[in-house]
Amino acid sequence: MAIVKRRIGLEQEFFLVDEAGSLSDRADEFLKSCHFKAQAQGLNPNYFVAEFVKSMVEINTPPADTAKELARVYLKNLKLAISVAQQMGLRLYPLSSYPLPTMPVMRDRPNYHIQARTVGISKFLHAGKCTGTHLHLEVPSGVIDPRVAVSYNSTSIEREELLNIYNLATACDSALISLTRACPFYEGQALGLAAHTIRYRGSETFGWEGVYTNLQPVGGLMPYAESVEGLVEQQFARYYAWLQAMEKAEIQPNLFKESGVSLLKSAWNPVRLNKLGTVEIRCIDSNFPYVILIVITLLEKLADRVRHENLTVRPSKGVQIFELVGNHLYVPDFEYLSGELLYASATEGIKNPKVRAYVDSILQFASAVGGEGANFLAKLSRNLDRYQTTEASILQEFTPTTTQLSLDTGLRLVRSSCDKLEAQVSSIDIENPLAAFDTDEGLLLQQH
């Protein structure tokens, strides 16, 4: 059987701040300068993108053939954005939530207003107070059809690959939350929870007030797909859930088209099908480049192994880790994944023994692929008890003396995080960005 190689892509959201660390609404001016500089350097200006609030921007990459190539173009685009910001007296703050209280300024576009009305403005504003990183895993060309989810013309082999990559991404949800937890502060308070996770997806079960607390089909983690037919049904069920929510919010049918509502676009789930022909993973906190490079390497190797060894990803009751038996990769069933494991990942994180065992099994499975970065993943697995998230590191340095983070401390945290972002981008060899993994284990295990 021929080796199948698929591409990967990345989007990362950043807050735009001034030199003092306060949020800046100069995104349009900043992006215009990024576009001009990108064109001057022969780069694609379309990878510097506006977000729905004026204090947030998104830096994207073109599809890349390897993790190394993706890391290279990600760092190159990020370096350009940082240099533009510095010229304007601005900075990029890379972590998953702005630590101080804020009231985002939303762009005046019909689709954003309709989303806010449908979800509820107080809930929707959470989306403007936290940032994420989205990683795209390519599936066979044409297998995803924006009109019907899965193309009628796709082959059974193509459909099976889509199904396995979708279920693999779903099975990794809590691991990615645990490894990438970034800012411990939200609206000036240390929640003791993964702020981006709870404030974006929300949960009625756990009492997490977030954007999609009452609309889990649209913004929560969806169950594994047992079949391609089941995956298609899931997409339509989610689509109709959004239409019903719009109707309940008394949004006129003629405004539906203005909202951009469509089968695949009306999805803000942690794992979703994207019309670009990818499975998009959206549960990753925005973070420092070193952490993002770990995620790129990990997900590339996970997907490659499933494809190359023709594995079937199969959720199984009673399984709490990744277990390979023959050509079946057994993963935690959805009840455990979306219940006990999600809760432990969003509260204790990697310190929880069950979470650590689960993450360890994923790292071991990925590192067996070999190639660049595999040695690092194996080292990380062996030293997982020493792994320190960005969130844990920040809490050591910025331990609040009261329940509310002071303005001065919050701004100092923002400036410190901007400093670390700029230092990491400067220190990584863009031509060989994954080399640091095998040469500086201590730096990455105690990253910050």
Side-chain angles (χ1 to χ4, degrees), residues 20-22 93 95 97-101 183-185 188-190 394-418:
S22 299
Y93 169 72
L95 303 187
S97 60
Y98 187 75
L100 293 165
C183 185
F185 300 107
Q189 295 185 321
I394 287 173
L395 282 173
Q396 285 183 350
E397 187 177 353
F398 295 90
T399 304
T401 55
T402 64
T403 56
Q404 190 74 20
L405 192 68
S406 72
L407 175 63
D408 287 346
T409 303
L411 292 176
R412 183 165 59 87
L413 166 57
V414 172
R415 294 193 299 271
S416 172
S417 299
C418 294

Side-chain angles (χ1 to χ4, degrees), residues 186-199:
Y186 189 88
E187 289 284 285
Q189 295 185 321
L191 302 178
L193 298 163
H196 169 241
T197 298
I198 67 165
R199 290 296 181 235

